[in-house]
Every structure is written in C-alpha cells, then in structure tokens.
Amino acid sequence: MTFKTLPSVTKILLLSDTHSHIDDTILKYVKQADQVWHAGDIGDVKVTEAIAALKPLRAVYGNIDDSKARATFELDLHFMCEQVAVYITHIGGYPGRYNQRIKASIYANPPTLFITGHSHILKVMRCKKTGLLHMNPGAIGRHGFHKVRTMLRFEIDGSNIKNLEVIELKR
C-alpha cells in the first residue's frame, strides 16, 4: 500500500496596528489560524505575548513601538512560507508609492507577498512592475481614524495565495 503525502496548506491571520489592543474576538481568529503575522504598531507587547501563547507569530515593530518591542522584533522580516517569499515591514508604502527606504530592494528582488501596516487603510493589490501581491490589513486596534477595525485571513498552498478574506469588526 502506498500513501500519498497531502500538500500542506498554511492558514495565515494578518493584522497590524493593534496599538496595545487585544480582545477575545481577535483571539478567536488567532486560534483558527496556523500562523499569525503582525505588521507593526504593536503597542504593548502583551498583545504579541497573548498571540504567541496560542500560535506561532511573526511580527515587525512599527513607529509607535517602544524599546521593548524594538528589542524583540525586527524592522523588516524576509522569510519563506511554503513556496512564497514574504517581506513584512510596517512603513513600506504600496505599489507605485513605495517608501524610499525599501523602494530599491523591492524592485531589485521583489518578494511574492509584500505586507505593510501603518496607514490603517486595508489594501490588497498587485504591483504592475513586479507582479508582487501587496497586502495591508488595515488596523485592528481601537486607536486611530479608521471607522471599522480590519484584519485579513488567507491560505498559502505551495506557491499559491488563496481564500483571502477580509474580517471586519466594530470599533
């Protein structure tokens, strides 16, 4: 008898701009994911500690984060998830308007998936020059001008990013 290995699918919860806010609703979605990625402006590291107690976490620090968050997390993360090259940074801009700090590296060596936070505006779009997929999950915290708190959920299946879902929560 021969057994086939089933391809793995990794369920990702993507959030940003928690600004020290974590609640049971966010943690409910954390529990449903295989991994959680945080695109900065964590605020109190108790947020990331609560997430990491439940699921593997990858995070970057943002402009509001203190020395404790900056000592724990990097400014930029580059890694592979299955066959997808991922680049996460807090202030990165978006296709056509990349931050000057990262613009040259994005064009020289584009990742498959480029993730940012900072703007509190949910965006998912392709870069016409490189083909990379850009995601900004908006803001899931309660601090800021946004009217709806948002995060993204999706799956990585080999080299495919699929089943993208926007999660909206009341402010």
Side-chain angles (χ1 to χ4, degrees):
M1 182 180 280
T2 306
F3 293 96
K4 275 188 165 179
T5 303
L6 296 175
S8 65
V9 173
T10 306
K11 296 176 183 177
I12 307 296
L13 180 67
L14 176 60
L15 45 96
S16 184
D17 296 275
T18 47
H19 290 267
S20 301
H21 178 77
I22 191 81
D23 60 34
D24 290 339
T25 303
I26 296 169
L27 293 174
K28 174 185 85 170
Y29 286 101
V30 167
K31 290 174 189 173
Q32 296 170 6
D34 295 322
Q35 296 180 24
V36 178
W37 300 349
H38 194 303
D41 276 4
I42 296 159
D44 192 321
V45 293
K46 289 180 182 175
V47 168
T48 50
E49 290 168 353
I51 294 167
L54 298 172
K55 294 294 175 161
L57 171 70
R58 293 182 187 263
V60 296
Y61 68 80
N63 57 295
I64 66 115
D65 290 318
D66 64 12
S67 59
K68 188 171 183 180
R70 289 169 189 249
T72 306
F73 301 106
E74 301 292 328
L75 175 62
D76 299 302
L77 275 182
H78 298 268
F79 61 93
M80 294 294 294
C81 180
E82 297 195 31
Q83 297 163 30
V84 173
V86 181
Y87 179 2
I88 304 176
T89 194
H90 183 62
I91 302 175
Y94 54 90
R97 297 187 55 113
Y98 293 117
N99 181 282
Q100 286 299 340
R101 182 182 69 81
I102 59 105
K103 188 176 187 175
S105 68
I106 285 286
Y107 288 127
N109 188 22
T112 310
L113 178 58
F114 177 56
I115 296 170
T116 64
H118 186 62
S119 70
H120 292 218
I121 300 169
L122 185 138
K123 280 190 185 193
V124 177
M125 59 193 295
R126 286 252 176 231
C127 177
K128 292 177 184 173
K129 287 187 179 180
T130 66
L132 69 77
L133 179 62
H134 170 261
M135 290 185 187
N136 182 325
I140 197 63
R142 296 189 182 275
H143 175 78
F145 66 87
H146 55 283
K147 304 269 188 246
V148 177
R149 299 184 303 135
T150 57
M151 54 188 164
L152 293 171
R153 174 163 68 175
F154 58 94
E155 296 174 348
I156 296 179
D157 183 1
S159 61
N160 298 311
I161 300 167
K162 63 183 192 177
N163 298 327
L164 177 64
E165 179 184 1
V166 174
I167 300 166
E168 296 181 335
L169 303 178
K170 290 183 181 177
R171 193 153 148 104

